[in-house]
Amino acid sequence: MGKLFSYRNRPVHLGPYPMETLTRQAAPAGLNALPAPVQISFRRPDAPLSLVNAMRDYQAVLDATREGLVKKERAEIPASPQERTDHLKAFGYFCDASLAGACAVPSGAWLETPLVNADVAALAETLRTKQTKTFASGIDVVMANLREAMQAPPADCRHHSHALVFVYEFPRDPEAGEDGTDWLADAQEQRACLRAAETVVTLANYIRLLGWEARAHTGAATDVHLGQLAVQAGLATYEDRILTNPFLGSRFGIAAVTTTLELAADLPLAPGQAPGLKYRLGLGAHAKSAASRDPYAKRRFMDGPHPFETLKRVEDPTTYIDKVNVARVPKRADMFARSLFGDLGKGPQEAAKNGNYVRKSSSAFAFRSSLAAFVLLQDGEPAPQVDPSTADAARNAANIKAAAYFLGCDAVGISRCPDWAYYSHDAAGDPLAPYHENAISIIIDQGHETMEGASGDDWIACAQSMRAYLRFSLLGGVIAQQIRNLGYTARVHSVMDGEVLQPPLLLLSGLGEVSRIGEVILNPFLGPRLKSGAVTTNLPMTRDKPVDFGLQRFCEACNKCARECPSGAITAGPKLMFNGYEIWKSDSQKCTTYRVTVPGGAMCGRCMKTCPWNLEGLFAEAPFRWAAMNLPGSAPLLAKLDDALGHGEVNTAKKWWWDLEMAEEGPYAPSRHPVNARKLSKDLDLKYEDQTLAVYPAPLAPPPYAWPAPMDREAGIAAYQAMIPAAEHKRRRAQGL
Ligand code: SF4
């Protein structure tokens, strides 16, 4: 069931639970009575198929990077400790922490013997000679740093004065005999540890980029007693020998960041409290209530958090794909690669060099080192023997989906991986022979709450993308490793290093339909507010079918994204055939140029922000979604209503981030340029005939090699004008033209 009340006016730093309603006290009850911490292990030699084994290397990479270089130049950030705490807690909630708190580190919380993750050293040996092929810039540096970090234990950090503490709750336990849960027994602690590690490693990195020391501490590698920090920071109490929270009970994991950055502390909780009536009845303005907090309370893990089973399934995607004539293009044709090699001109090339369009935003850059490090784990050798439990393709599909949803993916679909979904050449320019027949497509929600506070092209936009990309790389990576542990091959295709095109796989696996935005596939429950990734494999699995939820009719009657696009890259016209696909083809040159060079922000996702399908998930929104799916004629009215209600405007109550920019190699400082904070352009009547768009189909793609191939915009405009509708394309094919 959707939420009854909107969290529209609730500041992000308060979090999804009404923690502010609890009674606080000065003294942390039971702090020194807590038993010594027990290190969380990711080794299950007696249960080789347990998902815990597949998490091991990812936890090790995160633990290897919990410390790092501190930026020499200190950022210009607010001096108020309270403002800092609110900001960093909100960052943790942006990363989907259940609870966040801050405290001064109690002197007794430092462990005499820090817990060291022994899997780091083992992984270092495996990765010593690993090679990758990718265009992503700066990745060699990240890998060198990672290899170095794996060799040397971090120095003493007992002088860190403050801590940020994050709690990650457990979903329900798998039920006995529940389909899809073959690998999920006793994996809750490890799941929470891994998810929390992703957040604290990112936040520690962020604080170091701002110029202060910071170290992440996880359940597998820590210098501090995490339980004590949770009590001190007002997230839990130690009662009856149990660490407990009024909303979560004792089912959670903890991680922390210690730092030299001065923060305002939260007060400890008073013991013996229970959730209030509003929380229990779902009547509050916070995101979670007793009924809504666990999406799996009444759903099977394999079915996911949204009612995907209610969607109409069809044999073919709702947009035409001329499968035998899809033109494969080299990886080099990717627009970010083209920026890097100067094809789009000097401005975009400068912006793309060393990943500058990410580096200039501290909140975005904080995610990048983990994202780059995970590239090392994307592929690997399978176990020598295929496990006999994998003979049943339906059971495999159920297990894969349930495992991905258990870990925290937002939508998962399985399809074949046709040859035409592969690039023609890899990043080294070598011809790419398709190697896997099956694909698992995974969607990560970019997060509604932060999107509410954003214009789509401001200083959080890039971080929104990076957060979702990192989440996929982590969770998709665990799934791929699990498949290899079963004795099959599997490869992750991430934003940093992928060899397949994701939109066609998303269509085939029923995760959405083509939208006016162009290459963005829109999901009925998340709208276009998503990032995707794929795992390809030879594991046999039953496949999903494409979906039809009426989006083609809706987008034909709505052009809000085209109207709101700051670069004018989205067509206001019809769908046309491009490289064998029927799509609303956008002008990727305009889009990419704007995204990498935008001065008043970092990157852009304004189309996702302003689309009427970008919804909070309220009960009151259900009629909109129903009408949009079932009454095609209502689309113009619904699009107008969406405008009238002001959906897509910036909600300043949700703005938690700092508009920091790094100019040259100096410190992060308040943006030198006016920050993008756009209003809806309701009065703009965008006409297709007034647009000049360019496209670069296969014949205009660059050669597969890493040297410049400037774009010929005139040829691109001519190519746009030569595109034809699907019906005409079919007619010509039938005539052999
Ligand atoms: Fe389709 Fe309108 Fe969303 Fe654009 S804004 S993707 S036209 S529904």
Side-chain angles (χ1 to χ4, degrees):
M1 189 183 97
K3 295 186 297 163
L4 291 175
F5 295 99
S6 172
Y7 56 21
R8 172 185 311 269
N9 299 317
R10 182 175 173 83
V12 176
H13 71 262
L14 292 181
Y17 288 95
M19 288 289 285
E20 71 282 6
T21 61
L22 300 176
T23 305
R24 308 265 168 171
Q25 64 182 29
L31 188 71
N32 297 320
L34 278 154
V38 178
Q39 186 175 32
I40 294 174
S41 165
F42 287 77
R43 288 190 175 265
R44 289 282 167 79
D46 299 337
L49 301 191
S50 166
L51 192 65
V52 167
N53 296 308
M55 299 182 209
R56 183 190 313 138
D57 287 350
Y58 282 86
Q59 181 68 36
V61 164
L62 290 169
D63 283 334
T65 51
R66 63 198 192 93
E67 184 56 273
L69 290 176
V70 179
K71 191 165 170 55
K72 278 202 307 286
E73 308 88 358
R74 280 217 166 150
E76 288 177 44
I77 63 169
S80 155
Q82 189 61 56
E83 226 176 298
R84 293 170 176 180
T85 293
D86 291 349
H87 169 73
L88 292 165
K89 282 166 66 172
F91 202 150
Y93 287 127
F94 172 52
C95 296
D96 300 309
S98 304
L99 307 174
C103 63
V105 183
S107 57
W110 294 107
L111 299 178
E112 265 179 40
T113 310
L115 303 182
V116 176
N117 184 345
D119 296 326
V120 172
L123 182 63
E125 187 50 34
T126 314
L127 297 185
R128 205 165 48 83
T129 53
K130 187 127 188 189
Q131 300 289 329
T132 59
K133 287 183 192 176
T134 168
F135 287 128
S137 55
I139 204 160
D140 295 347
V141 178
V142 169
M143 290 180 180
N145 288 345
L146 174 65
R147 287 181 177 123
E148 199 178 306
M150 288 179 145
Q151 307 300 334
D156 189 43
C157 66
R158 286 161 193 260
H159 57 286
H160 289 185
S161 55
H162 288 82
L164 287 156
V165 192
F166 300 98
V167 160
Y168 276 72
E169 69 198 276
F170 299 171
R172 70 164 169 82
D173 287 331
E175 284 168 14
E178 180 180 344
D179 286 346
T181 62
D182 289 358
W183 313 323
L184 305 185
D186 299 327
Q188 294 277 15
E189 279 195 336
Q190 287 77 5
R191 173 198 171 277
C193 180
L194 186 71
R195 290 288 308 275
E198 177 200 19
T199 296
V200 291
V201 166
T202 302
L203 271 169
N205 206 4
Y206 177 64
I207 294 171
R208 292 195 299 269
L209 288 170
L210 299 182
W212 278 265
E213 289 181 39
R215 181 177 298 175
H217 306 269
T218 74
T222 180
D223 300 74
V224 280
H225 192 306
L226 294 168
Q228 286 194 21
L229 291 189
V231 172
Q232 185 71 46
L235 301 180
T237 51
Y238 188 58
E239 300 173 49
D240 302 327
R241 300 189 175 196
I242 293 174
L243 202 56
T244 181
N245 170 278
F247 302 108
L248 309 182
S250 59
R251 293 171 55 81
F252 55 81
I254 310 166
V257 176
T258 58
T259 176
T260 52
L261 180 69
E262 187 190 353
L263 302 171
D266 292 304
L267 281 173
L269 292 178
Q273 300 189 69
L277 202 59
K278 270 189 170 177
Y279 172 79
R280 283 185 275 139
L281 298 178
L283 300 177
H286 28 81
K288 300 212 178 188
S289 67
S292 71
R293 83 176 184 89
D294 184 351
Y296 298 100
K298 293 186 179 153
R299 293 180 62 77
R300 297 182 301 181
F301 281 110
M302 62 179 274
D303 293 331
H306 302 287
F308 299 113
E309 68 279 4
T310 61
L311 298 173
K312 182 175 143 196
R313 298 279 167 174
V314 289
E315 291 305 317
D316 288 307
T318 52
T319 43
Y320 177 61
I321 303 175
D322 183 358
K323 294 167 193 142
V324 290
N325 290 301
V326 167
R328 289 170 64 194
V329 293
K331 256 186 96 163
R332 175 65 180 75
D334 173 271
M335 280 292 164
F336 288 99
R338 298 204 75 170
S339 307
L340 189 62
F341 293 113
D343 302 358
L344 282 75
K346 274 213 170 325
Q349 186 177 25
E350 278 306 309
K353 230 189 257 170
N354 302 320
N356 282 341
Y357 56 83
V358 180
R359 273 158 49 94
K360 70 177 186 176
S361 158
S362 48
S363 54
F365 199 39
F367 291 93
R368 197 168 186 277
S369 53
S370 299
L371 191 54
F374 287 162
V375 172
L376 287 170
L377 304 181
Q378 286 193 183
D379 209 349
E381 289 301 313
Q385 301 290 333
V386 164
D387 192 88
S389 69
T390 56
D392 179 347
R395 183 175 169 188
N396 294 342
N399 279 328
I400 289 289
K401 286 188 179 177
Y405 285 129
F406 172 76
L407 289 168
C409 297
D410 293 299
V412 183
I414 295 172
S415 68
R416 66 200 170 95
C417 189
D419 290 358
W420 42 267
Y422 284 85
Y423 286 112
S424 60
H425 294 75
D426 66 18
D430 297 325
L432 192 55
Y435 40 85
H436 284 141
E437 285 188 352
N438 292 321
I440 302 156
S441 292
I442 290 176
I443 280 178
I444 304 294
D445 186 351
Q446 290 211 39
H448 177 269
E449 195 168 16
T450 291
M451 196 64 103
E452 274 298 277
S455 74
D457 59 346
D458 50 21
W459 286 100
I460 196 63
C462 190
Q464 288 178 283
S465 301
M466 299 298 281
R467 166 193 161 280
Y469 284 137
L470 178 61
R471 183 73 49 78
F472 164 74
S473 291
L474 172 62
L475 305 187
V478 172
I479 293 298
Q481 184 57 51
Q482 177 67 15
I483 294 172
R484 291 193 287 270
N485 291 352
L486 296 168
Y488 295 86
T489 55
R491 189 207 199 270
V492 175
H493 301 266
S494 70
V495 67
M496 301 292 269
D497 181 16
E499 296 186 330
V500 291
L501 290 163
Q502 286 166 20
L505 298 179
L506 291 169
L507 290 177
L508 293 175
S509 62
L511 290 181
E513 289 188 54
V514 163
S515 74
R516 181 177 290 282
I517 297 171
E519 275 85 357
V520 172
I521 303 302
L522 191 148
N523 179 278
F525 300 107
L526 302 171
R529 195 190 62 224
L530 53 88
K531 291 291 182 201
S532 65
V535 175
T536 58
T537 177
N538 63 350
L539 173 72
M541 294 172 290
T542 49
R543 296 164 179 164
D544 296 304
K545 286 184 175 177
V547 288
D548 177 356
F549 57 95
L551 185 68
Q552 302 312 299
R553 295 179 304 262
F554 197 98
C555 286
E556 274 160 17
C558 166
N559 74 353
K560 196 171 176 182
C561 51
R563 188 190 76 190
E564 296 299 328
C565 175
S567 67
I570 299 176
T571 176
K575 284 178 283 191
L576 297 167
M577 291 301 293
F578 177 80
N579 279 353
Y581 299 99
E582 180 192 23
I583 58 170
W584 277 282
K585 183 69 188 93
S586 60
D587 186 331
S588 328
Q589 183 180 12
K590 278 187 181 178
C591 174
T592 309
T593 301
Y594 183 77
R595 288 161 84 193
V596 299
T597 61
V598 54
M603 297 301 276
C604 178
R606 186 149 174 80
C607 46
M608 303 183 187
K609 155 79 183 180
T610 54
C611 173
W613 290 80
N614 170 28
L615 296 167
E616 183 181 339
L618 295 174
F619 184 66
E621 293 165 346
F624 163 84
R625 191 178 275 116
W626 185 87
M629 289 181 178
N630 297 290
L631 305 173
S634 69
L637 187 67
L638 291 174
K640 278 206 168 58
L641 181 67
D642 187 74
D643 257 356
L645 291 172
H647 288 167
E649 296 284 15
V650 172
N651 174 0
T652 52
K654 295 294 185 188
K655 182 170 187 288
W656 58 266
W657 56 95
W658 294 331
D659 298 320
L660 296 178
E661 174 183 12
M662 181 173 69
E664 308 300 328
E665 287 302 316
Y668 286 100
S671 173
R672 294 172 299 163
H673 305 92
V675 176
N676 292 332
R678 296 172 192 278
K679 288 198 162 305
L680 291 177
S681 308
K682 291 183 194 172
D683 297 332
L684 177 63
D685 183 16
L686 182 71
K687 294 258 189 310
Y688 180 44
E689 49 275 23
D690 295 337
Q691 292 184 297
T692 305
L693 302 173
V695 293
Y696 297 90
L700 297 181
Y705 314 109
W707 61 61
M711 298 171 96
D712 179 349
R713 184 145 182 98
E714 290 307 314
I717 292 169
Y720 192 97
Q721 285 160 359
M723 286 197 299
I724 52 174
E728 173 62 11
H729 177 93
K730 288 180 199 170
R731 191 187 66 76
R732 291 188 192 178
R733 287 280 179 232
Q735 293 179 350
L737 300 173

